[in-house]
Amino acid sequence: MAIYHFSGQIMSRISKQTGNPKSPLACAAYRSGEKLIDEVDNTAFFYKREVEPVTHILAPSHAPEWVYNRQNLWNEVNKIEKNYNAQFAREFNVALPVELNKEQQEELTLEFCKDAFVERGMVADIAIHRDDKSNPHFHVMLTVRPFNDDGSWGIKARREYKYDEQGNHILDKHGKKAFYKVETTDWNNKDVFNSWRKLWAEKANEYLKQNGINESISHLSNEDRGLEQMPTIHEGYVARKMEKNGQKSDRISFNKEVKKYNRLVSDLQKYKNKKDKLNYQNKFVRKFSPMEKKELSDIAKQLKMFVNVQSISERKLQLIDWKKSIQFSKDSETKFKQLSRIEKEENLISTAEQIFNFESTRFIEKNYPTWDVNSLSFDEKVLLVDKTIENNRLLSEGELDLIEDEVYSNNLLKEINGLLHNRYAFVITINDRLQSLITTRNDLEKKLGISSSDFEISLKRAALKNPKEFEMLKSVIKHTGELFKARDLMNEFYNLEIQKLYPSIDVNKLTLEEKEILIVGTEYYEKPITLESIPSLQRYDVENQVKIIKLLTNDDHLRKEKLEELYPSFQINNPRYLMLFKDECLRNIHNLPDFASAKLKDINPEKLAEKEIIKSSLIKDMNFKMNEEIDNFTTNNSLTAISSGVTNGLLQSILEQRNFESKKQFEDDLKNKSSKKKNIHRSGPSL
């Protein structure tokens, strides 16, 4: 599993271990595996490695060109850091996640070093070591002195002398002028070091997630993370070599004792966890087997996406559309490659669904033992598990009953969207389109001599005598059936949604258009609408109203993308949604800046509803009234009937006089609905 190791040190001329002088060229040669010569005494340094390191040098844009030559770089550092005990480099040793491949590890290393160090002005000499396959890591040696803008060396610190109240120099105990040392960079700051540790964890976790790996690391200590285990220390190459040769290493001995202690803590924790489960204190989480985790990880890598139920469902629909778009095209090598890829992805998605299905089944059998898991659909299982985890508790029977309704409603909407490109226009034109098709069908049947008494015989005769008209009849019958199905689906979807949001409304008294307006109004205001709430309904404040008005009325061809980015739930292609927004701004027009109120009239829901207006004047009438009020305000600075709004009156008329006559009737209807509901779940006593 991915581990967190991020250690650092300051490299000085005098070795802390031996007290002997140390060359920066020796340090760089050891890490890079490259032969380097120290120009001070012409000593060559070379350390042979079984696996050649991957090396890079990164530098800020104002650094001189010679920094990209490793030998030149550290010889120049050697010259500028003249003191016998000078610090010549800062070094970090960082463990790389074993779950990433070599290219991903290298990309992660370079991105981190650039963001953490180079952008602060340091030169980073990087060496990735893979001598031990289970311990990939990188070393980075960093310059401790900044560069000036002209590429010359800068200073690490400056002196600020201390003065007394009379402005005279304060002397130290040796009689010399006392001063403060002021560093020119923040590279030695503890908070900066901690920010680097945190940044590494964030970058590594980002790469793990992007590559579909369900692992993470943390820069926090075990204590800060609430763990009782002790951390081990970095052993290093020398310590492991000593141990391999039969010598004793204090570092490895220490780690052995720590691991022994941690095993005891781990056993104790397992006992605590078991006890917690017996006391029903465990959290509800998804639990995949190691094999399932590996399979999902492999699928994520092949699909190049994060894999969960939602993402594979979306990809499944994309593949269906892709397949439809190419299956009737001319055969070619490209087409066969695309179909092969689609088939491969479909198989991967099917495997992923099976894994989620098995995991959901295990979860339900364990936590809801009295429910018949075999009677649940895949979507119902997944939603039941998601809701339980989200609430972190077992759901009540009432909540469990709602699962089926929600899944059914979601699937209904998917089916509707699959049949229709624009459900808003469909609502208005459906009855006229159906009547037109029925009339055409009657005319064709009359022309072809098709009668109900000998229907099959007359059909065969028509197919032989008038094949062209017969094909037209088949097409009309097919489209009529699709429209009837779409209308029934739409009605069923709206009825379900309205009964859920407005249980006291009799949906049978609403037209399809009224149902659609009520649903869009609920989507717009993001809550059910009541007669009492209508006067105070508002979705956006003035600042956001102005932003949206600008986006809706400018000529930028990217305005739709910008609007979706800032306001992802705004339905820019829905004329009723635009109508509600325009009316909300109109009710608030006194508070809008002049340019925004002047632009408000340019928002035109009629344009989106041109085809609808032929069948219904609703959008046109509403827009006309709103434009009339805008003109009154801009010319006379007055409004006639703006307090209740134009669309609010429409919503009020839909809600009024549609309630059930009595609470008893409402309860009876609910009871009848419950009795009709299929009893798919129970296989034992009630929860």
Side-chain angles (χ1 to χ4, degrees):
M1 61 177 289
I3 62 168
Y4 184 92
H5 174 77
F6 189 103
S7 62
Q9 63 172 326
I10 295 292
M11 293 178 159
S12 304
R13 284 194 179 280
I14 303 301
S15 171
K16 293 179 182 177
Q17 284 79 23
T18 65
N20 296 326
K22 187 166 58 175
S23 168
L25 278 298
C27 298
Y30 174 76
R31 285 153 182 79
S32 67
E34 189 177 320
K35 183 179 179 180
L36 301 177
I37 299 173
D38 190 332
E39 294 174 0
V40 171
D41 53 11
N42 210 34
T43 302
F45 298 98
F46 177 65
Y47 302 90
K48 183 175 175 59
R49 288 187 170 274
E50 293 179 10
V51 180
E52 185 179 353
V54 177
T55 61
H56 295 274
I57 293 179
L58 305 179
S61 58
H62 61 285
E65 194 64 28
W66 48 258
V67 302
Y68 294 100
N69 181 296
R70 185 166 285 105
Q71 183 166 288
N72 289 347
L73 168 63
W74 296 112
N75 271 308
E76 289 298 323
V77 168
N78 220 2
K79 293 174 187 176
I80 194 68
E81 308 301 348
K82 298 175 182 177
N83 292 340
Y84 79 97
N85 62 345
Q87 297 175 344
F88 58 76
R90 175 180 286 102
E91 189 225 20
F92 290 105
N93 180 331
V94 184
L96 288 164
V98 293
E99 291 80 2
L100 300 177
N101 62 37
K102 292 180 180 180
E103 291 76 15
Q104 292 161 351
Q105 290 174 349
E106 186 174 349
E107 186 181 342
L108 168 60
T109 300
L110 296 178
E111 183 178 321
F112 168 73
C113 289
K114 180 178 176 295
D115 292 352
F117 309 128
V118 178
E119 290 187 0
R120 285 182 177 268
M122 300 175 228
V123 177
D125 184 358
I126 302 163
I128 300 175
H129 289 181
R130 297 196 176 94
D131 307 74
D132 181 353
K133 290 182 179 180
S134 63
N135 180 32
H137 61 278
F138 72 87
H139 298 265
V140 55
M141 287 177 63
L142 304 158
T143 51
V144 293
R145 182 183 295 267
F147 284 103
N148 297 320
D149 290 339
D150 62 359
S152 61
W153 286 113
I155 58 173
K156 291 190 283 188
R158 65 176 185 274
R159 293 181 178 183
E160 283 192 4
Y161 289 99
K162 299 179 181 180
Y163 297 94
D164 59 20
E165 293 177 356
Q166 285 74 41
N168 300 316
H169 280 285
I170 297 174
L171 303 180
D172 61 20
K173 61 181 180 180
H174 302 293
K176 295 181 179 180
K177 295 176 182 177
F179 61 86
Y180 298 105
K181 181 182 176 182
V182 180
E183 294 184 335
T184 57
T185 67
D186 61 358
W187 303 346
N188 289 325
N189 188 294
K190 185 178 179 181
D191 289 337
V192 173
F193 172 72
N194 288 332
S195 74
W196 290 333
R197 286 175 52 81
K198 181 182 178 185
L199 180 63
W200 171 249
E202 291 171 345
K203 289 278 184 190
N205 289 336
E206 183 181 325
Y207 268 71
L208 289 167
K209 185 176 180 181
Q210 283 175 357
N211 290 284
I213 299 163
N214 190 25
E215 293 283 352
S216 64
I217 59 176
S218 174
H219 65 290
L220 299 174
S221 67
N222 285 359
E223 183 179 354
D224 290 337
R225 293 162 64 196
L227 301 178
E228 296 181 26
Q229 293 184 334
M230 290 174 61
T232 55
I233 61 173
H234 181 61
E235 294 173 351
Y237 174 74
V238 176
R240 287 194 294 273
K241 190 173 181 181
M242 288 172 61
E243 195 78 10
K244 188 177 180 181
N245 294 333
Q247 298 172 280
K248 188 175 180 181
S249 165
D250 292 339
R251 285 175 169 267
I252 292 180
S253 297
F254 174 80
N255 279 349
K256 284 180 178 177
E257 291 300 317
V258 169
K259 289 173 183 176
K260 184 178 177 182
Y261 168 80
N262 286 343
R263 279 195 295 271
L264 292 173
V265 172
S266 178
D267 290 340
L268 181 61
Q269 189 61 45
K270 286 177 184 176
Y271 169 75
K272 287 181 179 178
N273 290 341
K274 189 174 181 181
K275 184 180 177 183
D276 287 344
K277 287 178 182 178
L278 291 172
N279 292 329
Y280 301 99
Q281 293 173 352
N282 63 310
K283 290 184 179 295
F284 294 100
V285 292
R286 289 194 174 278
K287 293 178 181 177
F288 296 99
S289 69
M291 183 59 72
E292 288 172 339
K293 286 181 181 178
K294 185 180 183 305
E295 283 190 80
L296 288 175
S297 177
D298 291 341
I299 290 169
K301 287 176 184 176
Q302 292 185 68
L303 292 176
K304 296 179 181 178
M305 58 183 257
F306 179 71
V307 171
N308 59 19
V309 174
Q310 182 180 351
S311 65
I312 61 175
S313 176
E314 290 171 356
R315 186 57 181 158
K316 199 173 179 180
L317 294 174
Q318 290 170 358
L319 291 175
I320 292 170
D321 291 338
W322 187 13
K323 200 170 187 177
K324 284 179 182 177
S325 69
I326 65 172
Q327 64 182 353
F328 296 114
S329 62
K330 189 177 179 181
D331 288 347
S332 65
E333 187 179 347
T334 302
K335 176 183 175 180
F336 293 135
K337 282 182 179 178
Q338 289 177 332
L339 288 172
S340 175
R341 180 181 167 187
I342 290 170
E343 184 180 4
K344 180 183 176 183
E345 290 200 23
E346 285 175 338
N347 291 334
L348 289 170
I349 287 171
S350 176
T351 302
E353 284 183 332
Q354 287 176 14
I355 292 171
F356 281 109
N357 187 43
F358 292 150
E359 185 275 333
S360 299
T361 300
R362 291 196 301 268
F363 183 99
I364 295 168
E365 286 176 342
K366 176 186 175 183
N367 295 292
Y368 298 93
T370 62
W371 281 57
D372 181 10
V373 71
N374 295 321
S375 65
L376 296 171
S377 69
F378 171 67
D379 291 328
E380 287 171 332
K381 289 179 188 177
V382 169
L383 187 58
L384 176 53
V385 173
D386 286 344
K387 293 281 187 185
T388 305
I389 293 172
E390 182 184 337
N391 291 283
N392 197 25
R393 61 173 174 80
L394 292 175
L395 303 182
S396 66
E397 257 194 74
E399 290 171 315
L400 289 167
D401 284 334
L402 292 174
I403 295 287
E404 185 187 346
D405 278 343
E406 187 168 340
V407 168
Y408 184 67
S409 181
N410 290 340
N411 289 337
L412 200 60
L413 188 56
K414 285 180 189 175
E415 197 170 352
I416 290 169
N417 290 335
L419 287 168
L420 309 172
H421 294 293
N422 186 343
R423 65 184 174 99
Y424 315 112
F426 174 85
V427 167
I428 300 300
T429 60
I430 176 62
N431 289 328
D432 292 280
R433 288 164 67 189
L434 278 172
Q435 188 57 52
S436 174
L437 285 170
I438 291 168
T439 302
T440 303
R441 176 179 176 173
N442 290 336
D443 291 343
L444 283 169
E445 287 181 348
K446 187 176 180 181
K447 185 177 179 180
L448 293 169
I450 295 172
S451 63
S452 56
S453 57
D454 57 343
F455 186 71
E456 291 186 12
I457 296 172
S458 58
L459 270 180
K460 291 177 182 177
R461 190 187 310 121
L464 291 170
K465 287 187 175 182
N466 304 91
K468 188 176 180 180
E469 285 82 359
F470 183 74
E471 287 300 317
M472 286 179 60
L473 177 62
K474 281 170 61 179
S475 176
V476 167
I477 292 172
K478 178 185 175 184
H479 287 128
T480 305
E482 288 177 348
L483 278 180
F484 270 118
K485 180 184 177 184
R487 187 185 68 175
D488 292 343
L489 286 172
M490 188 75 78
N491 254 316
E492 192 173 358
F493 170 71
Y494 282 148
N495 290 351
L496 282 170
E497 291 299 297
I498 291 172
Q499 285 169 350
K500 184 167 63 178
L501 296 165
Y502 303 93
S504 62
I505 287 182
D506 183 357
V507 292
N508 297 317
K509 293 183 179 179
L510 297 177
T511 66
L512 189 58
E513 183 179 10
E514 287 174 328
K515 293 174 187 176
E516 203 264 335
I517 288 169
L518 189 56
I519 291 298
V520 173
T522 310
E523 290 173 351
Y524 180 84
Y525 291 112
E526 295 186 318
K527 62 180 180 181
I529 300 164
T530 64
L531 289 170
E532 295 74 25
S533 69
I534 283 178
S536 59
L537 285 174
Q538 182 165 324
R539 170 74 183 277
Y540 301 102
D541 58 23
V542 173
E543 181 182 352
N544 285 302
Q545 285 177 354
V546 172
K547 285 182 183 177
I548 296 172
I549 290 171
K550 283 182 181 177
L551 288 167
L552 288 173
T553 57
N554 68 25
D555 296 326
D556 186 351
H557 69 285
L558 294 175
R559 68 189 183 111
K560 182 179 177 182
E561 288 80 357
K562 291 178 181 176
L563 185 64
E564 287 175 345
E565 181 182 345
L566 293 172
Y567 304 95
S569 63
F570 196 97
Q571 299 176 20
I572 190 172
N573 293 321
N574 184 343
R576 290 161 187 75
Y577 202 92
L578 280 183
M579 184 176 70
L580 289 164
F581 173 74
K582 184 173 181 177
D583 192 38
E584 180 181 300
C585 294
L586 179 59
R587 296 197 304 276
N588 201 32
I589 198 168
H590 297 94
N591 300 316
L592 294 176
D594 292 341
F595 80 88
S597 56
K599 284 277 188 183
L600 190 57
K601 194 175 177 181
D602 294 340
I603 297 174
N604 187 10
E606 277 188 61
K607 192 172 182 180
L608 288 173
E610 285 174 346
K611 293 180 181 178
E612 299 180 36
I613 289 169
I614 301 170
K615 307 299 178 186
S616 170
S617 61
L618 175 69
I619 300 288
K620 185 175 181 179
D621 292 344
M622 291 285 179
N623 199 42
F624 177 80
K625 289 177 185 177
M626 286 189 280
N627 287 341
E628 196 174 44
E629 295 292 353
I630 294 168
D631 288 337
N632 284 337
F633 179 79
T634 52
T635 55
N636 307 318
N637 198 28
S638 65
L639 298 170
T640 54
I642 206 64
S643 59
S644 62
V646 176
T647 57
N648 282 358
L650 174 64
L651 292 170
Q652 186 170 344
S653 68
I654 293 173
L655 290 173
E656 282 180 340
Q657 306 301 322
R658 301 295 202 295
N659 293 346
F660 282 121
E661 294 177 2
S662 68
K663 184 180 178 184
K664 183 178 183 303
Q665 184 180 347
F666 174 47
E667 291 172 348
D668 288 344
D669 281 353
L670 278 182
K671 197 178 294 181
N672 291 335
K673 183 189 172 190
S674 299
S675 64
K676 292 176 185 176
K677 191 179 179 72
K678 58 178 180 176
N679 188 12
I680 63 171
H681 306 298
R682 279 57 170 187
S683 65
S686 168
L687 291 174

